[in-house]
Amino acid sequence: MESAPAEAGAIGEEPGRASDPLKGRLLTCRYDRLKELRRMVIVYGLPVEEPEEDVENALTLRGRVWKVLLGMDDDSAASVERKQEYKRTVAKGASSSDGEIRNDTFRTFRGDPSFARRVPEATLVRALNAFLHDHGMSCQDGRPDCDQPFRYFQGMNILCGIFLYVLPEDDAYLSLELFVTKHCPRYVAPQLAGVHVACGLVDRCLQT
């Protein structure tokens, strides 16, 4: 009688496929959890939203995932205080860029009924004015020779609107703030240096 062939791996694994070292393990390391979340989002995507999420100020699954990927810590005292600061900033009212903001907000995704339900124009205006109050007078775009602060530009309403679509207003603002000031500051700098760098990267990718 012939002997049975050796198994390629653990039960359920495809022959010839390397075993996943994280499979079946309880991930206690923050780095491992974040790495696994990124992998799952890329491989499986995110599920379709539930009907109850299609309302204003909803905390959606997509929004929760984005917050984790951005590195937001809801439980920290700093995060709680930052949300209180947002309310105080909103109370300041219009920023010097209010006119430019309103020229864009009334048409932001307005062809989408779901967006119109979940993100009133007034909310979008508030969040953008607050950002300009907080960051329009300080230079944080990452350039060593920086001499200009963040400014409002056409398209910032789109970035802000996307966060407001999947998160409550204060969470959306903190996410926008973190995304712009930490993760891609040069992309929204006055000279849009990050945009030029990104275009150059695409050119290099196409050449390979």
Side-chain angles (χ1 to χ4, degrees):
M1 180 181 293
E2 295 182 0
S3 59
E7 293 185 359
I11 296 175
E13 290 183 356
E14 298 178 11
R17 186 173 182 177
S19 176
D20 184 350
L22 299 179
K23 188 173 183 179
R25 282 175 47 198
L26 178 63
L27 303 180
T28 57
C29 172
R30 182 183 179 90
Y31 172 78
D32 283 344
R33 292 200 302 267
L34 183 58
K35 183 178 178 181
E36 179 64 6
L37 176 61
R38 287 171 175 161
R39 185 191 71 82
M40 291 181 68
V41 170
I42 292 171
V43 174
Y44 302 108
L46 292 173
V48 177
E49 293 178 349
E50 298 295 331
E52 58 267 23
E53 293 182 315
D54 193 22
V55 294
E56 183 181 353
N57 265 325
L59 177 56
T60 66
L61 173 62
R62 186 176 301 274
R64 293 197 296 270
V65 170
W66 286 4
K67 286 170 62 177
V68 173
L69 294 177
L70 285 168
M72 287 184 61
D73 185 0
D74 279 341
D75 297 328
S76 69
S79 179
V80 174
E81 174 58 26
R82 193 68 194 90
K83 290 181 180 181
Q84 294 302 316
E85 288 180 12
Y86 171 66
K87 294 178 181 178
R88 292 191 288 270
T89 303
V90 166
K92 295 179 181 179
S95 69
S96 59
S97 300
D98 184 67
E100 295 176 81
I101 289 171
R102 291 178 185 273
N103 281 339
D104 289 334
T105 52
F106 77 93
R107 55 190 173 188
T108 306
F109 296 124
R110 289 305 153 186
D112 186 335
S114 178
F115 184 88
R117 282 194 303 273
R118 291 161 68 165
V119 187
E121 183 185 357
T123 305
L124 188 54
V125 170
R126 273 198 307 271
L128 289 169
N129 273 308
F131 183 86
L132 270 297
H133 275 307
D134 282 340
H135 300 284
M137 298 302 292
S138 60
C139 186
Q140 302 178 35
D141 69 354
R143 290 179 292 134
D145 58 343
C146 174
D147 58 359
Q148 296 185 60
F150 287 120
R151 60 173 174 79
Y152 180 78
F153 66 94
Q154 194 172 32
M156 188 177 284
N157 56 311
I158 302 296
L159 287 176
C160 187
I162 291 171
F163 284 113
L164 287 168
Y165 186 74
V166 297
L167 288 166
E169 183 177 341
D170 52 1
D171 280 328
Y173 178 77
L174 296 189
S175 297
L176 171 72
E177 183 180 53
L178 190 59
F179 179 74
V180 170
T181 62
K182 180 179 179 180
H183 293 285
C184 63
R186 291 169 63 84
Y187 188 82
V188 296
Q191 305 302 323
L192 301 181
V195 177
H196 299 298
V197 172
C199 289
L201 178 59
V202 171
D203 287 341
R204 291 179 62 184
C205 291
L206 293 175
Q207 291 170 7
T208 59

